[in-house]
Amino acid sequence: MGQLLLLLVVALTVAAVVFGVTVLVSGRDPGLVPVEPDSHAVPLPGTRPLRESDVGAVRFDTGLRGYRMAQVDQAMRRAAYDIGYKSELIGVLEAEVIALREGRTADADVLRQAREQSASAAERSGRAATDAPPTDGATPVGT
């Protein structure tokens, strides 16, 4: 029984060597496909509101067990913030339109001023966030 097992192992080894030599000599083996190295993440933009194409273009570095969790978490927080901001902005704009249609120009002016102040504050904080270096030494995904 032991000799049969040894003979089987030797036959398989010889067959593998013959197959390998045949593939190398024939030149049909394309080899390994080049793999894109890490650190080619495409982050979400941090200087303007997100667009649909930004979410489709985002890429994350890969790790041993998948994507880098910190990059994914940061991108999801950024997307959630933009969705919430745009929902609130739509609500304010709708209220402003309703006030104008009903002839309440004073209310519409108050809503417009609040909207403009909010937009300028968000723009200032966005500029400050992109000008400041990261605190943990990592490159932020949203910038």
Side-chain angles (χ1 to χ4, degrees):
M1 182 71 184
Q3 290 178 348
L4 183 61
L5 185 61
L6 181 62
L7 183 63
L8 182 62
V9 169
V10 169
L12 287 175
T13 304
V14 169
V17 169
V18 169
F19 176 76
V21 169
T22 305
V23 168
L24 287 176
V25 170
S26 68
R28 293 186 191 170
D29 182 24
L32 295 175
V33 178
V35 177
E36 186 175 315
D38 270 353
S39 301
H40 285 293
V42 177
L44 292 173
T47 57
R48 59 175 171 74
L50 294 179
R51 297 184 198 126
E52 183 179 353
S53 60
D54 294 332
V55 176
V58 71
R59 297 289 177 261
F60 305 108
D61 289 333
T62 56
L64 183 61
R65 296 180 59 198
Y67 294 114
R68 302 275 184 209
M69 190 181 308
Q71 290 177 345
V72 175
D73 289 346
Q74 188 173 9
M76 294 303 292
R77 281 192 301 270
R78 173 66 204 286
Y81 172 81
D82 262 29
I83 290 169
Y85 177 79
K86 288 178 180 181
S87 296
E88 288 179 19
L89 181 61
I90 289 169
V92 169
L93 288 170
E94 287 174 344
E96 191 176 336
V97 167
I98 290 170
L100 285 171
R101 284 184 180 162
E102 294 175 353
R104 298 180 290 135
T105 56
D107 291 342
D109 286 339
V110 169
L111 289 167
R112 181 186 50 79
Q113 289 172 355
R115 179 175 43 85
E116 289 172 352
Q117 287 175 352
S118 173
S120 65
E123 184 178 316
R124 282 194 307 270
S125 68
R127 262 190 262 123
T130 57
D131 294 341
T135 56
D136 62 353
T139 303
V141 171
T143 58

